[in-house]
Amino acid sequence: MEKKNLLGMTTEELKNFVQELGEKPFRGKQLFKWVNRGITDFEEMTDFSKALRAKLSSAAYVGSLKTLNVQKDTKDGTRKFLFGLEDGNAIESVFMQYKYGNSLCVSSQVGCKMGCRFCATALDGFTRNLTAGEMLEQIYAAERETGKEINHIVVMGMGEPFDNYENLTKFLRLLHDPEGKNMSYRNMTVSTSGIIPAIEKFAIDFPQVNLAISLHRLDNAGRSAIMPVNDAYPVDDLLAAAGRYTEKTGRRITFEYTLIKGENDNNSDVEMMKDKLSGMLCHVNLIPLNKVDETGFDGSTRKRAEEIAARLT
Ligand code: SF4
């Protein structure tokens, strides 16, 4: 029998799994708690008999991420992890410390289909969706590596989360499960490049989860030039959908705006931002681009970012 990875399975799925092994369903519930406490070794599951632990380890395993590399910023404690997946692919997650707690930026896909011109992930195209378990394990692996509890997540790493809607939403539910990590939906943020039908569905399915939209440009032709998704979902339609989202959920939206030198940081861009976002229930998050040599784009200077922030404020 092929061994099953138990991380990413719901309580119901684990109940079925233990029944296949000839065990009572309540063992599945116990297993869910252990797995979602980040425990990977069956020997540490102390309320199981020795015989059951042996049975489980011959039929299953818990998680499979390997830490391939860690880059640490000694000033603010940020750590960028490169995790290896079972099939040999690799993904990144970023651990950040704030006054309100610890946050992890989670990847949702290996690569990405969206093709944003300034993005390093887009350069290698799309390989595959991550499973709910692979998203969840980024959190447990980062907790093990840092020794700190993660109490916020942003799904803003590699990939377009709404292009992997089913696995994304399973992951959010698993993370929220009171028998598991029990993370509040309010501590979760999902970021999209602007897939309007998914935004509308998400407002119904997860009205308490925070939404971030990557805007990056406000003029239609200019946004299409750096974000092909804008051809399918033009920026003014996207802003209208964002407005409906805030009305429906009562939640403030975050607009991500990556500052690219000479591309979207001109005074005319700032004026358009003021004009189009004025009156909306939103935050604007200005992020100077990290230079990626292959794309030819560079980030705005710190000074320019501060000028833009002041003009917007
Ligand atoms: Fe990169 Fe995100 Fe655009 Fe995908 S959606 S290409 S990950 S910026």
Side-chain angles (χ1 to χ4, degrees), residues 72-105:
K72 189 171 177 185
D73 185 321
T74 44
K75 271 187 256 146
D76 62 8
T78 297
R79 283 185 228 186
K80 192 172 177 185
F81 294 102
L82 184 69
F83 290 125
L85 302 168
E86 233 171 334
D87 62 3
N89 285 301
I91 49 166
E92 283 181 351
S93 317
V94 183
F95 171 84
M96 293 158 288
Q97 291 176 292
Y98 296 103
K99 283 198 193 99
Y100 57 76
N102 301 316
S103 180
L104 192 76
C105 177

PDB file of all heavy atoms in Angstrom, residues 72-105:
ATOM      1  N   LYS A  72      18.435  35.067   6.442  1.00  0.00           N
ATOM      2  CA  LYS A  72      17.951  35.776   7.626  1.00  0.00           C
ATOM      3  C   LYS A  72      18.374  37.241   7.575  1.00  0.00           C
ATOM      4  O   LYS A  72      19.534  37.544   7.275  1.00  0.00           O
ATOM      5  CB  LYS A  72      18.515  35.100   8.872  1.00  0.00           C
ATOM      6  CG  LYS A  72      17.912  35.602  10.138  1.00  0.00           C
ATOM      7  CD  LYS A  72      18.314  34.773  11.338  1.00  0.00           C
ATOM      8  CE  LYS A  72      17.712  35.401  12.587  1.00  0.00           C
ATOM      9  NZ  LYS A  72      18.123  34.769  13.813  1.00  0.00           N
ATOM     10  N   ASP A  73      17.428  38.130   7.877  1.00  0.00           N
ATOM     11  CA  ASP A  73      17.748  39.546   8.033  1.00  0.00           C
ATOM     12  C   ASP A  73      17.985  39.776   9.521  1.00  0.00           C
ATOM     13  O   ASP A  73      17.049  39.673  10.316  1.00  0.00           O
ATOM     14  CB  ASP A  73      16.577  40.400   7.519  1.00  0.00           C
ATOM     15  CG  ASP A  73      16.906  41.890   7.548  1.00  0.00           C
ATOM     16  OD1 ASP A  73      17.556  42.321   8.521  1.00  0.00           O
ATOM     17  OD2 ASP A  73      16.521  42.601   6.609  1.00  0.00           O
ATOM     18  N   THR A  74      19.245  40.081   9.881  1.00  0.00           N
ATOM     19  CA  THR A  74      19.558  40.164  11.310  1.00  0.00           C
ATOM     20  C   THR A  74      18.923  41.392  11.961  1.00  0.00           C
ATOM     21  O   THR A  74      18.735  41.430  13.165  1.00  0.00           O
ATOM     22  CB  THR A  74      21.093  40.195  11.539  1.00  0.00           C
ATOM     23  OG1 THR A  74      21.643  41.091  10.591  1.00  0.00           O
ATOM     24  CG2 THR A  74      21.705  38.824  11.375  1.00  0.00           C
ATOM     25  N   LYS A  75      18.570  42.415  11.144  1.00  0.00           N
ATOM     26  CA  LYS A  75      18.000  43.636  11.739  1.00  0.00           C
ATOM     27  C   LYS A  75      16.565  43.422  12.227  1.00  0.00           C
ATOM     28  O   LYS A  75      16.216  43.783  13.337  1.00  0.00           O
ATOM     29  CB  LYS A  75      18.010  44.767  10.693  1.00  0.00           C
ATOM     30  CG  LYS A  75      19.328  45.544  10.743  1.00  0.00           C
ATOM     31  CD  LYS A  75      19.273  46.753   9.848  1.00  0.00           C
ATOM     32  CE  LYS A  75      20.055  46.488   8.585  1.00  0.00           C
ATOM     33  NZ  LYS A  75      19.611  47.060   7.391  1.00  0.00           N
ATOM     34  N   ASP A  76      15.716  42.849  11.366  1.00  0.00           N
ATOM     35  CA  ASP A  76      14.305  42.752  11.774  1.00  0.00           C
ATOM     36  C   ASP A  76      13.826  41.313  11.990  1.00  0.00           C
ATOM     37  O   ASP A  76      12.645  41.090  12.275  1.00  0.00           O
ATOM     38  CB  ASP A  76      13.404  43.478  10.750  1.00  0.00           C
ATOM     39  CG  ASP A  76      13.504  42.851   9.367  1.00  0.00           C
ATOM     40  OD1 ASP A  76      14.132  41.784   9.235  1.00  0.00           O
ATOM     41  OD2 ASP A  76      12.934  43.423   8.424  1.00  0.00           O
ATOM     42  N   GLY A  77      14.726  40.339  11.857  1.00  0.00           N
ATOM     43  CA  GLY A  77      14.349  38.938  12.137  1.00  0.00           C
ATOM     44  C   GLY A  77      13.590  38.256  11.006  1.00  0.00           C
ATOM     45  O   GLY A  77      13.162  37.110  11.153  1.00  0.00           O
ATOM     46  N   THR A  78      13.414  38.953   9.871  1.00  0.00           N
ATOM     47  CA  THR A  78      12.727  38.328   8.732  1.00  0.00           C
ATOM     48  C   THR A  78      13.544  37.132   8.227  1.00  0.00           C
ATOM     49  O   THR A  78      14.770  37.205   8.144  1.00  0.00           O
ATOM     50  CB  THR A  78      12.575  39.367   7.587  1.00  0.00           C
ATOM     51  OG1 THR A  78      11.752  40.422   8.070  1.00  0.00           O
ATOM     52  CG2 THR A  78      11.938  38.756   6.347  1.00  0.00           C
ATOM     53  N   ARG A  79      12.838  36.039   7.936  1.00  0.00           N
ATOM     54  CA  ARG A  79      13.552  34.874   7.392  1.00  0.00           C
ATOM     55  C   ARG A  79      12.837  34.397   6.137  1.00  0.00           C
ATOM     56  O   ARG A  79      11.622  34.222   6.131  1.00  0.00           O
ATOM     57  CB  ARG A  79      13.577  33.723   8.398  1.00  0.00           C
ATOM     58  CG  ARG A  79      14.593  33.979   9.475  1.00  0.00           C
ATOM     59  CD  ARG A  79      14.724  32.806  10.391  1.00  0.00           C
ATOM     60  NE  ARG A  79      14.659  33.283  11.766  1.00  0.00           N
ATOM     61  CZ  ARG A  79      14.851  32.516  12.821  1.00  0.00           C
ATOM     62  NH1 ARG A  79      15.087  31.241  12.670  1.00  0.00           N
ATOM     63  NH2 ARG A  79      14.777  33.021  14.029  1.00  0.00           N
ATOM     64  N   LYS A  80      13.645  34.208   5.085  1.00  0.00           N
ATOM     65  CA  LYS A  80      13.089  33.718   3.826  1.00  0.00           C
ATOM     66  C   LYS A  80      13.493  32.261   3.674  1.00  0.00           C
ATOM     67  O   LYS A  80      14.684  31.944   3.656  1.00  0.00           O
ATOM     68  CB  LYS A  80      13.677  34.557   2.690  1.00  0.00           C
ATOM     69  CG  LYS A  80      13.016  34.380   1.364  1.00  0.00           C
ATOM     70  CD  LYS A  80      13.598  35.438   0.444  1.00  0.00           C
ATOM     71  CE  LYS A  80      13.100  35.348  -0.942  1.00  0.00           C
ATOM     72  NZ  LYS A  80      13.762  36.286  -1.817  1.00  0.00           N
ATOM     73  N   PHE A  81      12.480  31.394   3.605  1.00  0.00           N
ATOM     74  CA  PHE A  81      12.743  29.953   3.507  1.00  0.00           C
ATOM     75  C   PHE A  81      12.579  29.479   2.069  1.00  0.00           C
ATOM     76  O   PHE A  81      11.641  29.881   1.381  1.00  0.00           O
ATOM     77  CB  PHE A  81      11.735  29.166   4.353  1.00  0.00           C
ATOM     78  CG  PHE A  81      11.872  29.427   5.828  1.00  0.00           C
ATOM     79  CD1 PHE A  81      10.989  30.268   6.488  1.00  0.00           C
ATOM     80  CD2 PHE A  81      12.897  28.831   6.555  1.00  0.00           C
ATOM     81  CE1 PHE A  81      11.116  30.518   7.833  1.00  0.00           C
ATOM     82  CE2 PHE A  81      13.030  29.067   7.912  1.00  0.00           C
ATOM     83  CZ  PHE A  81      12.146  29.911   8.555  1.00  0.00           C
ATOM     84  N   LEU A  82      13.493  28.593   1.675  1.00  0.00           N
ATOM     85  CA  LEU A  82      13.299  27.843   0.437  1.00  0.00           C
ATOM     86  C   LEU A  82      12.998  26.410   0.862  1.00  0.00           C
ATOM     87  O   LEU A  82      13.834  25.752   1.479  1.00  0.00           O
ATOM     88  CB  LEU A  82      14.564  27.906  -0.424  1.00  0.00           C
ATOM     89  CG  LEU A  82      14.445  27.240  -1.797  1.00  0.00           C
ATOM     90  CD1 LEU A  82      13.489  28.033  -2.704  1.00  0.00           C
ATOM     91  CD2 LEU A  82      15.812  27.138  -2.467  1.00  0.00           C
ATOM     92  N   PHE A  83      11.755  25.972   0.574  1.00  0.00           N
ATOM     93  CA  PHE A  83      11.344  24.625   0.970  1.00  0.00           C
ATOM     94  C   PHE A  83      11.296  23.711  -0.255  1.00  0.00           C
ATOM     95  O   PHE A  83      10.746  24.090  -1.308  1.00  0.00           O
ATOM     96  CB  PHE A  83       9.942  24.648   1.601  1.00  0.00           C
ATOM     97  CG  PHE A  83       9.887  25.298   2.963  1.00  0.00           C
ATOM     98  CD1 PHE A  83       9.008  26.341   3.213  1.00  0.00           C
ATOM     99  CD2 PHE A  83      10.701  24.848   4.002  1.00  0.00           C
ATOM    100  CE1 PHE A  83       8.936  26.936   4.465  1.00  0.00           C
ATOM    101  CE2 PHE A  83      10.636  25.435   5.265  1.00  0.00           C
ATOM    102  CZ  PHE A  83       9.757  26.476   5.495  1.00  0.00           C
ATOM    103  N   GLY A  84      11.837  22.497  -0.090  1.00  0.00           N
ATOM    104  CA  GLY A  84      11.772  21.503  -1.166  1.00  0.00           C
ATOM    105  C   GLY A  84      10.526  20.652  -1.002  1.00  0.00           C
ATOM    106  O   GLY A  84      10.186  20.248   0.110  1.00  0.00           O
ATOM    107  N   LEU A  85       9.832  20.394  -2.115  1.00  0.00           N
ATOM    108  CA  LEU A  85       8.626  19.564  -2.095  1.00  0.00           C
ATOM    109  C   LEU A  85       8.996  18.126  -2.455  1.00  0.00           C
ATOM    110  O   LEU A  85      10.078  17.872  -3.006  1.00  0.00           O
ATOM    111  CB  LEU A  85       7.601  20.100  -3.105  1.00  0.00           C
ATOM    112  CG  LEU A  85       7.165  21.559  -2.909  1.00  0.00           C
ATOM    113  CD1 LEU A  85       6.384  22.042  -4.123  1.00  0.00           C
ATOM    114  CD2 LEU A  85       6.317  21.690  -1.657  1.00  0.00           C
ATOM    115  N   GLU A  86       8.051  17.238  -2.212  1.00  0.00           N
ATOM    116  CA  GLU A  86       8.275  15.806  -2.457  1.00  0.00           C
ATOM    117  C   GLU A  86       8.679  15.497  -3.901  1.00  0.00           C
ATOM    118  O   GLU A  86       9.444  14.584  -4.148  1.00  0.00           O
ATOM    119  CB  GLU A  86       6.944  15.095  -2.173  1.00  0.00           C
ATOM    120  CG  GLU A  86       7.053  13.974  -1.227  1.00  0.00           C
ATOM    121  CD  GLU A  86       5.668  13.493  -0.837  1.00  0.00           C
ATOM    122  OE1 GLU A  86       4.684  14.264  -0.885  1.00  0.00           O
ATOM    123  OE2 GLU A  86       5.559  12.332  -0.503  1.00  0.00           O
ATOM    124  N   ASP A  87       8.130  16.263  -4.849  1.00  0.00           N
ATOM    125  CA  ASP A  87       8.405  15.961  -6.259  1.00  0.00           C
ATOM    126  C   ASP A  87       9.648  16.682  -6.786  1.00  0.00           C
ATOM    127  O   ASP A  87       9.878  16.725  -7.989  1.00  0.00           O
ATOM    128  CB  ASP A  87       7.181  16.319  -7.116  1.00  0.00           C
ATOM    129  CG  ASP A  87       6.835  17.803  -7.051  1.00  0.00           C
ATOM    130  OD1 ASP A  87       7.575  18.568  -6.379  1.00  0.00           O
ATOM    131  OD2 ASP A  87       5.837  18.216  -7.671  1.00  0.00           O
ATOM    132  N   GLY A  88      10.415  17.295  -5.877  1.00  0.00           N
ATOM    133  CA  GLY A  88      11.671  17.932  -6.308  1.00  0.00           C
ATOM    134  C   GLY A  88      11.523  19.421  -6.610  1.00  0.00           C
ATOM    135  O   GLY A  88      12.527  20.110  -6.796  1.00  0.00           O
ATOM    136  N   ASN A  89      10.286  19.937  -6.670  1.00  0.00           N
ATOM    137  CA  ASN A  89      10.113  21.378  -6.864  1.00  0.00           C
ATOM    138  C   ASN A  89      10.417  22.123  -5.568  1.00  0.00           C
ATOM    139  O   ASN A  89      10.533  21.512  -4.505  1.00  0.00           O
ATOM    140  CB  ASN A  89       8.668  21.678  -7.300  1.00  0.00           C
ATOM    141  CG  ASN A  89       8.444  21.303  -8.749  1.00  0.00           C
ATOM    142  OD1 ASN A  89       9.122  21.817  -9.640  1.00  0.00           O
ATOM    143  ND2 ASN A  89       7.512  20.393  -8.996  1.00  0.00           N
ATOM    144  N   ALA A  90      10.533  23.457  -5.696  1.00  0.00           N
ATOM    145  CA  ALA A  90      10.830  24.261  -4.498  1.00  0.00           C
ATOM    146  C   ALA A  90       9.924  25.485  -4.454  1.00  0.00           C
ATOM    147  O   ALA A  90       9.501  26.007  -5.497  1.00  0.00           O
ATOM    148  CB  ALA A  90      12.297  24.684  -4.522  1.00  0.00           C
ATOM    149  N   ILE A  91       9.629  25.927  -3.238  1.00  0.00           N
ATOM    150  CA  ILE A  91       8.789  27.105  -3.033  1.00  0.00           C
ATOM    151  C   ILE A  91       9.405  27.984  -1.942  1.00  0.00           C
ATOM    152  O   ILE A  91      10.233  27.505  -1.175  1.00  0.00           O
ATOM    153  CB  ILE A  91       7.347  26.729  -2.601  1.00  0.00           C
ATOM    154  CG1 ILE A  91       7.404  25.717  -1.435  1.00  0.00           C
ATOM    155  CG2 ILE A  91       6.538  26.200  -3.759  1.00  0.00           C
ATOM    156  CD1 ILE A  91       6.086  25.543  -0.729  1.00  0.00           C
ATOM    157  N   GLU A  92       8.937  29.230  -1.895  1.00  0.00           N
ATOM    158  CA  GLU A  92       9.454  30.140  -0.870  1.00  0.00           C
ATOM    159  C   GLU A  92       8.346  30.531   0.107  1.00  0.00           C
ATOM    160  O   GLU A  92       7.181  30.669  -0.277  1.00  0.00           O
ATOM    161  CB  GLU A  92       9.962  31.425  -1.531  1.00  0.00           C
ATOM    162  CG  GLU A  92      11.303  31.236  -2.200  1.00  0.00           C
ATOM    163  CD  GLU A  92      11.820  32.521  -2.838  1.00  0.00           C
ATOM    164  OE1 GLU A  92      11.072  33.522  -2.907  1.00  0.00           O
ATOM    165  OE2 GLU A  92      12.971  32.504  -3.263  1.00  0.00           O
ATOM    166  N   SER A  93       8.737  30.759   1.363  1.00  0.00           N
ATOM    167  CA  SER A  93       7.834  31.327   2.376  1.00  0.00           C
ATOM    168  C   SER A  93       8.660  32.349   3.148  1.00  0.00           C
ATOM    169  O   SER A  93       9.865  32.147   3.324  1.00  0.00           O
ATOM    170  CB  SER A  93       7.340  30.276   3.362  1.00  0.00           C
ATOM    171  OG  SER A  93       6.981  29.094   2.708  1.00  0.00           O
ATOM    172  N   VAL A  94       8.007  33.411   3.614  1.00  0.00           N
ATOM    173  CA  VAL A  94       8.756  34.449   4.340  1.00  0.00           C
ATOM    174  C   VAL A  94       8.133  34.669   5.716  1.00  0.00           C
ATOM    175  O   VAL A  94       6.931  34.936   5.827  1.00  0.00           O
ATOM    176  CB  VAL A  94       8.779  35.782   3.543  1.00  0.00           C
ATOM    177  CG1 VAL A  94       9.625  36.819   4.287  1.00  0.00           C
ATOM    178  CG2 VAL A  94       9.330  35.561   2.139  1.00  0.00           C
ATOM    179  N   PHE A  95       8.976  34.547   6.738  1.00  0.00           N
ATOM    180  CA  PHE A  95       8.551  34.745   8.130  1.00  0.00           C
ATOM    181  C   PHE A  95       8.860  36.193   8.529  1.00  0.00           C
ATOM    182  O   PHE A  95       9.972  36.679   8.306  1.00  0.00           O
ATOM    183  CB  PHE A  95       9.342  33.771   9.020  1.00  0.00           C
ATOM    184  CG  PHE A  95       9.177  34.002  10.492  1.00  0.00           C
ATOM    185  CD1 PHE A  95       8.099  33.472  11.180  1.00  0.00           C
ATOM    186  CD2 PHE A  95      10.116  34.748  11.202  1.00  0.00           C
ATOM    187  CE1 PHE A  95       7.954  33.673  12.545  1.00  0.00           C
ATOM    188  CE2 PHE A  95       9.975  34.955  12.564  1.00  0.00           C
ATOM    189  CZ  PHE A  95       8.887  34.416  13.233  1.00  0.00           C
ATOM    190  N   MET A  96       7.867  36.873   9.097  1.00  0.00           N
ATOM    191  CA  MET A  96       8.055  38.278   9.473  1.00  0.00           C
ATOM    192  C   MET A  96       7.551  38.490  10.898  1.00  0.00           C
ATOM    193  O   MET A  96       6.529  37.922  11.284  1.00  0.00           O
ATOM    194  CB  MET A  96       7.275  39.193   8.517  1.00  0.00           C
ATOM    195  CG  MET A  96       7.820  39.174   7.101  1.00  0.00           C
ATOM    196  SD  MET A  96       6.602  39.696   5.871  1.00  0.00           S
ATOM    197  CE  MET A  96       5.486  38.306   5.840  1.00  0.00           C
ATOM    198  N   GLN A  97       8.244  39.344  11.651  1.00  0.00           N
ATOM    199  CA  GLN A  97       7.827  39.644  13.020  1.00  0.00           C
ATOM    200  C   GLN A  97       7.286  41.064  13.084  1.00  0.00           C
ATOM    201  O   GLN A  97       7.923  41.998  12.564  1.00  0.00           O
ATOM    202  CB  GLN A  97       9.023  39.510  13.960  1.00  0.00           C
ATOM    203  CG  GLN A  97       9.481  38.076  14.116  1.00  0.00           C
ATOM    204  CD  GLN A  97      10.726  37.976  14.972  1.00  0.00           C
ATOM    205  OE1 GLN A  97      11.791  38.419  14.575  1.00  0.00           O
ATOM    206  NE2 GLN A  97      10.568  37.431  16.154  1.00  0.00           N
ATOM    207  N   TYR A  98       6.133  41.210  13.707  1.00  0.00           N
ATOM    208  CA  TYR A  98       5.520  42.536  13.879  1.00  0.00           C
ATOM    209  C   TYR A  98       5.162  42.716  15.353  1.00  0.00           C
ATOM    210  O   TYR A  98       5.191  41.751  16.120  1.00  0.00           O
ATOM    211  CB  TYR A  98       4.247  42.644  13.033  1.00  0.00           C
ATOM    212  CG  TYR A  98       4.487  42.557  11.547  1.00  0.00           C
ATOM    213  CD1 TYR A  98       4.202  41.387  10.851  1.00  0.00           C
ATOM    214  CD2 TYR A  98       5.008  43.640  10.839  1.00  0.00           C
ATOM    215  CE1 TYR A  98       4.428  41.299   9.484  1.00  0.00           C
ATOM    216  CE2 TYR A  98       5.237  43.555   9.484  1.00  0.00           C
ATOM    217  CZ  TYR A  98       4.947  42.386   8.805  1.00  0.00           C
ATOM    218  OH  TYR A  98       5.178  42.304   7.467  1.00  0.00           O
ATOM    219  N   LYS A  99       4.763  43.944  15.693  1.00  0.00           N
ATOM    220  CA  LYS A  99       4.334  44.183  17.086  1.00  0.00           C
ATOM    221  C   LYS A  99       3.136  43.309  17.436  1.00  0.00           C
ATOM    222  O   LYS A  99       2.998  42.834  18.551  1.00  0.00           O
ATOM    223  CB  LYS A  99       3.938  45.658  17.257  1.00  0.00           C
ATOM    224  CG  LYS A  99       5.129  46.583  17.352  1.00  0.00           C
ATOM    225  CD  LYS A  99       4.720  47.921  17.950  1.00  0.00           C
ATOM    226  CE  LYS A  99       5.830  48.943  17.761  1.00  0.00           C
ATOM    227  NZ  LYS A  99       5.633  49.832  16.634  1.00  0.00           N
ATOM    228  N   TYR A 100       2.248  43.078  16.437  1.00  0.00           N
ATOM    229  CA  TYR A 100       1.024  42.331  16.722  1.00  0.00           C
ATOM    230  C   TYR A 100       1.223  40.816  16.678  1.00  0.00           C
ATOM    231  O   TYR A 100       0.312  40.042  16.960  1.00  0.00           O
ATOM    232  CB  TYR A 100      -0.105  42.751  15.777  1.00  0.00           C
ATOM    233  CG  TYR A 100       0.212  42.599  14.308  1.00  0.00           C
ATOM    234  CD1 TYR A 100       0.222  41.354  13.679  1.00  0.00           C
ATOM    235  CD2 TYR A 100       0.518  43.710  13.527  1.00  0.00           C
ATOM    236  CE1 TYR A 100       0.505  41.217  12.337  1.00  0.00           C
ATOM    237  CE2 TYR A 100       0.808  43.585  12.177  1.00  0.00           C
ATOM    238  CZ  TYR A 100       0.794  42.342  11.591  1.00  0.00           C
ATOM    239  OH  TYR A 100       1.088  42.199  10.248  1.00  0.00           O
ATOM    240  N   GLY A 101       2.408  40.340  16.296  1.00  0.00           N
ATOM    241  CA  GLY A 101       2.650  38.885  16.259  1.00  0.00           C
ATOM    242  C   GLY A 101       3.528  38.484  15.091  1.00  0.00           C
ATOM    243  O   GLY A 101       4.153  39.329  14.450  1.00  0.00           O
ATOM    244  N   ASN A 102       3.549  37.180  14.826  1.00  0.00           N
ATOM    245  CA  ASN A 102       4.398  36.650  13.749  1.00  0.00           C
ATOM    246  C   ASN A 102       3.542  36.248  12.559  1.00  0.00           C
ATOM    247  O   ASN A 102       2.477  35.651  12.723  1.00  0.00           O
ATOM    248  CB  ASN A 102       5.165  35.429  14.256  1.00  0.00           C
ATOM    249  CG  ASN A 102       6.024  35.784  15.456  1.00  0.00           C
ATOM    250  OD1 ASN A 102       6.691  36.821  15.461  1.00  0.00           O
ATOM    251  ND2 ASN A 102       5.981  34.950  16.483  1.00  0.00           N
ATOM    252  N   SER A 103       4.055  36.562  11.389  1.00  0.00           N
ATOM    253  CA  SER A 103       3.280  36.332  10.179  1.00  0.00           C
ATOM    254  C   SER A 103       4.103  35.526   9.178  1.00  0.00           C
ATOM    255  O   SER A 103       5.332  35.641   9.133  1.00  0.00           O
ATOM    256  CB  SER A 103       2.917  37.703   9.588  1.00  0.00           C
ATOM    257  OG  SER A 103       2.174  37.535   8.412  1.00  0.00           O
ATOM    258  N   LEU A 104       3.419  34.716   8.394  1.00  0.00           N
ATOM    259  CA  LEU A 104       4.113  33.990   7.326  1.00  0.00           C
ATOM    260  C   LEU A 104       3.463  34.305   5.996  1.00  0.00           C
ATOM    261  O   LEU A 104       2.243  34.256   5.854  1.00  0.00           O
ATOM    262  CB  LEU A 104       4.059  32.469   7.559  1.00  0.00           C
ATOM    263  CG  LEU A 104       5.000  31.689   6.636  1.00  0.00           C
ATOM    264  CD1 LEU A 104       6.455  31.806   7.107  1.00  0.00           C
ATOM    265  CD2 LEU A 104       4.622  30.216   6.559  1.00  0.00           C
ATOM    266  N   CYS A 105       4.301  34.634   5.028  1.00  0.00           N
ATOM    267  CA  CYS A 105       3.839  34.806   3.648  1.00  0.00           C
ATOM    268  C   CYS A 105       3.934  33.428   2.986  1.00  0.00           C
ATOM    269  O   CYS A 105       5.008  32.841   2.891  1.00  0.00           O
ATOM    270  CB  CYS A 105       4.734  35.831   2.951  1.00  0.00           C
ATOM    271  SG  CYS A 105       4.299  36.045   1.227  1.00  0.00           S
TER     272      CYS A 105
END
